[in-house]
Amino acid sequence: MELVFVTAGGQVKSRQLESGRYVIGRDTRCDLRVPSPEVSRQHCEISVDRDAVRVRDLKSSNGTWVNSERVEESSLGAGDLIAVGPVVVVVRIDGDPGAIDPVLLYEQGRPQGESSSPRQDRDESAEHPTAVVPPQKLTLSDDPESSSIVEFDFNLDDEEDDQPPL
């Protein structure tokens, strides 16, 4: 199982996950770190086992979104999109989905509107909105020697359009 992290500017990083529990957040002790003020210290948790992949919000300030809907907890399938602060994460299971367009994926995975009542679980029959493109458009930087920390170079003072909104 792999998580592919995408930013508004098209930066892409991926991490392979084995069975276990992984916390995404801005705290330096998180397994997968997204250093942004839009991300809670411990934002959400991904649980991976042989039979299922799940995400659970850890009472984050800005919520955890699966396929553009706010959730407290949800099962995940190949191609599902998770929005955590300024990043969108695509779930890749056994290589599915194949190649993705990071800019389109980012737009598709962003929350469409803030909902005050998160869903407990998603509809298993929901379509997976991942944008599939020819493989040459996917650029992954997955150095096997690197740590499990996912870090992006955000310039939060930059006024360019490709920066995530605060």
Side-chain angles (χ1 to χ4, degrees), residues 18-32:
E18 302 296 325
S19 291
R21 176 183 171 266
Y22 301 87
V23 175
I24 297 175
R26 75 170 190 267
D27 192 285
T28 57
R29 295 171 292 193
C30 288
D31 302 297
L32 303 164

Side-chain angles (χ1 to χ4, degrees), residues 1-2 16 78 91-98:
M1 192 231 148
E2 178 180 26
Q16 295 285 333
V91 177
R92 183 179 276 164
I93 300 174
D94 296 328
D96 182 27

Side-chain angles (χ1 to χ4, degrees), residues 1-5 13-18 20-36 39-48 55 82 84 87 89 142 146-152:
M1 192 231 148
E2 178 180 26
L3 295 180
V4 181
F5 291 75
K13 289 194 178 190
S14 68
R15 291 292 179 255
Q16 295 285 333
L17 301 182
E18 302 296 325
R21 176 183 171 266
Y22 301 87
V23 175
I24 297 175
R26 75 170 190 267
D27 192 285
T28 57
R29 295 171 292 193
C30 288
D31 302 297
L32 303 164
R33 186 167 180 259
V34 180
S36 168
V39 177
S40 295
R41 283 184 209 99
Q42 293 190 347
H43 197 96
C44 64
E45 153 187 294
I46 306 286
S47 300
V48 180
V55 64
I82 307 165
V84 176
V87 299
V89 182
D142 190 20
S146 68
S147 73
S148 64
I149 295 175
V150 174
E151 296 210 37
F152 295 98

Side-chain angles (χ1 to χ4, degrees), residues 93-153:
I93 300 174
D94 296 328
D96 182 27
I100 56 172
D101 179 328
V103 175
L104 184 56
L105 174 72
Y106 181 84
E107 291 301 317
Q108 289 178 339
R110 297 301 301 157
Q112 301 303 312
E114 183 106 15
S115 169
S116 60
S117 57
R119 278 186 18 194
Q120 288 294 327
D121 209 336
R122 69 173 177 85
D123 178 6
E124 294 298 324
S125 64
E127 291 291 318
H128 302 293
T130 305
V132 178
V133 297
Q136 68 272 16
K137 292 202 177 181
L138 179 65
T139 54
L140 301 177
S141 56
D142 190 20
D143 180 4
E145 298 298 317
S146 68
S147 73
S148 64
I149 295 175
V150 174
E151 296 210 37
F152 295 98
D153 298 319

Side-chain angles (χ1 to χ4, degrees), residues 65-84:
W65 303 74
V66 175
N67 299 325
S68 300
E69 291 194 36
R70 191 171 185 165
V71 298
E72 287 181 7
E73 187 169 345
S74 180
S75 60
L76 299 170
D80 280 338
L81 305 176
I82 307 165
V84 176

